Amino acid sequence: MVGGPPWRLKAMAPLTVVFCALTMCAVIVDRVAPGAPASRMLLHRDTSNPFGVVGAVEYPRHAVGVDGVRVNLPRPARRIVSQEWSLDEYLYSLVPAERVIGVSQAAYDGRFSNISDIAARLRPTIAADVEAVVTMNPDLVIVSSTARADFTELLRTAGVPVYRAYTTPTSLAEIEQQIRILGYLVADDAAAAAVWSTFHEAVALAALRRPAADAPRVLGLNGHFAYGSHTVFDDVLRVLGATNVAAAAGVEGYTLMNPEEILRANPGWIITGAPIDTEDDVRERLLADVSLATTDAGRAGRVVVVDQRVFTALSPFTARLLETLGDALYGRKS
Amino acid sequence: MTIGAFNALMLLLLALGGVAGVSIGSAHVAWPFTAPSDRVIVWLIRVPRVLVGATVGAGLATAGAVMQGLFRNPLAEPGLLGVGPGAVLGAIAVFVSGWAGHMAVALPIGAVLSSLLVLGLVYAAAATRGVVPITHLLLIGIAAGSLCTALSSLLIALNATDWQSAQEIVFWMMGGVDARSWLHVWLSAPFVVIGILVVTWKARELDLLATGEERAASLGVDVESSKWLFIMTAALLTGVSVAVAGLLGFVGLVVPNAVRVVVGPRHRTLCPASALAGAAFVVACDLVARTAHPPIEIRLGIVTALIGSPVLILMLSRRLRLRGAR
């Protein structure tokens, strides 16, 4: 065999060349992308204030999305498209339903969406792909903070105003903040204020419901995933004066919790979600799990199965979780 | 069928697929696309999508042909050296770091760099005193691929707490050319065209390598340099393809094998014909992916696997029957 050049040179040279070439291509294409509206180049990026609502009360209105891109609305948005399930719920809470012309596919799923009945009645288009969105000729598209940038950038290149909203809240305050931002952007001021006020009152009322004796020790489960600290569920328990045993055990976020940890945490209550009409099956399945059945909650049968739509809501509908959990832990309000 | 006729047929199929790909979609557009929204849909959404599909198909099929020649094994495929899993690992790292949501270019660049880094490490680990035995390369490549897959799974598992991001990752891994723009065309097409030209230009050396390294060396081939060139080219073709379209199974495996039956094993004709057939195959599969279950698109990787797997099984069973008959 004939020896070649040193392998390091062979391996590293193409890396450098390709990196430089790709970067140059990307920069060039980004500057000359066909159809890119000139306004796109002028958009102000304010990453220091990702949630910041700026501008006057009257139109035009503008807000900076979590990607730092500002969206301008010269007049009230009448043709709004949502690309994510919790954003569907925000929009239907904030604006007249007929203004929402496009929704996520999940909006039609009655197991998970709180607005599926409205969607089934009004049949908004499913914003499944860029073509479908462009065809709707929307004056505002609201996408999730977790959406891929190529989807968002293609829409913007096509001249569609896109606002990227934060969709992974970790507290009730962030949901309130989202109501304010989206309300400012899409709703009448009075309607937005009413939604915010209703939500805020639900939180305040829940905070009044305090345990008679010791704080209930609660474990929130969704399948095998537990709700630890820095989750909306944890914040709901905090407001209700309950103890989140997962958070107390050091669990952060929404993550798998192993059976030994659950046993050691020994919750007095287990809260989970299930689609309507499957609650009994889910409760039975949970109690068949030895690690759950041997906890205080399992032995006392304190397993609360909440409507999945209420349990997983990350929108104004989260107010229902406050009420449902308050009723479950402290008894129904008279 | 002659080679010329086959190439003409593939070109025709590619052209038909391209026209159908531009004309058919979730939105109705009318020729000559004079309405502003029609122009946007055609020129900014559908044309780049078809071009990315064709580019990726051509790249993966050519990479497959090169790998099968180099490893002298019809079951060799572009992901064998850990390049595909390496690209996926880079892409997932971009996803979990949050860059995928901020810059469209971050995903392809992360994937390509990661794939080339993995290839460099595989090449370095397989090298012994300036020589890279093909069996070492193969075994270390498979191990590196498994390692990358495990690391990718670990990253997904650790970040499954944010299920929305996890969903994006899983969908991306299933492969697809939806929401692809001219940016993705420019990021992939030049490299794929150059890759195809390089392997076609050096096809004679690949033919000789396919007969064995010692024989190739005795006929004047600089074996190590040639191997490096072909492996780098295959890696680049695979890396950019995975970077802009995610994982598309079976294209690199099935297409060159099917084309070889028609045009024969000579790489000067096999590589361009595979590129054309791969392009036509992926464009056709994408058409199926977006029209089979409206308004929801089936992921392209699912369609290529659904079509590619039975074809591979048929080809293998036919080969086994022929071998049994001898």
Side-chain angles (χ1 to χ4, degrees), chain B residues 199-212:
Chain B
V199 294
T200 308
W201 174 48
K202 291 281 186 180
R204 184 181 161 274
E205 290 177 21
L206 189 54
D207 287 342
L208 292 174
L209 280 172
T211 64

Side-chain angles (χ1 to χ4, degrees), chain A residues 185-269:
Chain A
L185 206 53
V186 301
D188 296 333
D189 290 344
V195 174
W196 181 86
S197 173
T198 304
F199 188 83
H200 191 73
E201 277 172 28
V203 176
L205 282 174
L208 296 175
R209 303 179 78 172
R210 289 281 144 182
D214 295 337
R217 295 169 49 75
V218 179
L219 172 68
L221 276 182
N222 201 0
H224 291 97
F225 282 72
Y227 293 89
S229 58
H230 304 109
T231 61
V232 169
F233 185 83
D234 181 60
D235 205 29
V236 166
L237 292 183
R238 180 191 60 76
V239 168
L240 286 167
T243 301
N244 181 359
V245 296
V251 173
E252 273 188 37
Y254 174 62
T255 189
L256 282 170
M257 193 170 175
N258 76 41
E260 289 179 23
E261 280 180 302
I262 292 175
L263 267 175
R264 190 179 303 158
N266 191 25
W269 292 81

Side-chain angles (χ1 to χ4, degrees), chain B residues 36-52:
Chain B
S37 64
D38 286 2
R39 279 208 300 274
V40 166
I41 287 170
V42 168
W43 294 113
L44 294 186
I45 299 170
R46 289 190 187 167
V47 172
R49 178 179 186 145
V50 168
L51 289 176
V52 169

Side-chain angles (χ1 to χ4, degrees), chain B residues 7-180:
Chain B
N7 284 340
L9 178 65
M10 286 303 117
L11 263 177
L12 180 67
L13 288 176
L14 179 58
L16 287 175
V19 170
V22 169
S23 310
I24 302 169
S26 57
H28 174 73
V29 293
W31 176 262
F33 316 131
T34 45
S37 64
D38 286 2
R39 279 208 300 274
V40 166
I41 287 170
V42 168
W43 294 113
L44 294 186
I45 299 170
R46 289 190 187 167
V47 172
R49 178 179 186 145
V50 168
L51 289 176
V52 169
T55 303
V56 165
L60 287 174
T62 308
V66 171
M67 297 293 276
Q68 286 154 19
L70 201 58
F71 286 95
R72 302 196 292 280
N73 188 333
L75 293 179
E77 50 104 15
L80 217 53
L81 293 177
V83 174
V88 170
L89 176 60
I92 290 174
V94 171
F95 266 114
V96 301
S97 68
W99 279 101
H102 288 281
M103 281 172 66
V105 76
L107 203 53
I109 284 188
V112 170
L113 281 183
S114 170
S115 69
L116 288 172
L117 187 66
V118 169
L119 181 73
L121 292 173
V122 168
Y123 214 87
T128 315
R129 290 189 291 277
V131 176
V132 184
I134 214 85
T135 47
H136 287 200
L137 207 55
L138 187 64
L139 291 171
I140 293 171
I142 290 171
S146 300
L147 180 65
C148 289
T149 304
L151 289 173
S152 300
S153 301
L154 179 67
L155 281 179
I156 294 172
L158 291 176
N159 289 277
T161 50
D162 177 3
W163 65 269
Q164 291 170 324
S165 297
Q167 189 184 39
E168 289 284 353
I169 294 171
V170 170
F171 265 65
W172 182 87
M173 284 175 69
M174 289 179 189
V177 287
D178 56 306
R180 299 307 189 267

Side-chain angles (χ1 to χ4, degrees), chain A residues 59-72:
Chain A
Y59 285 89
R61 292 184 174 187
H62 36 266
V64 180
V66 292
D67 53 359
V69 176
R70 192 169 75 164
V71 64
N72 298 298

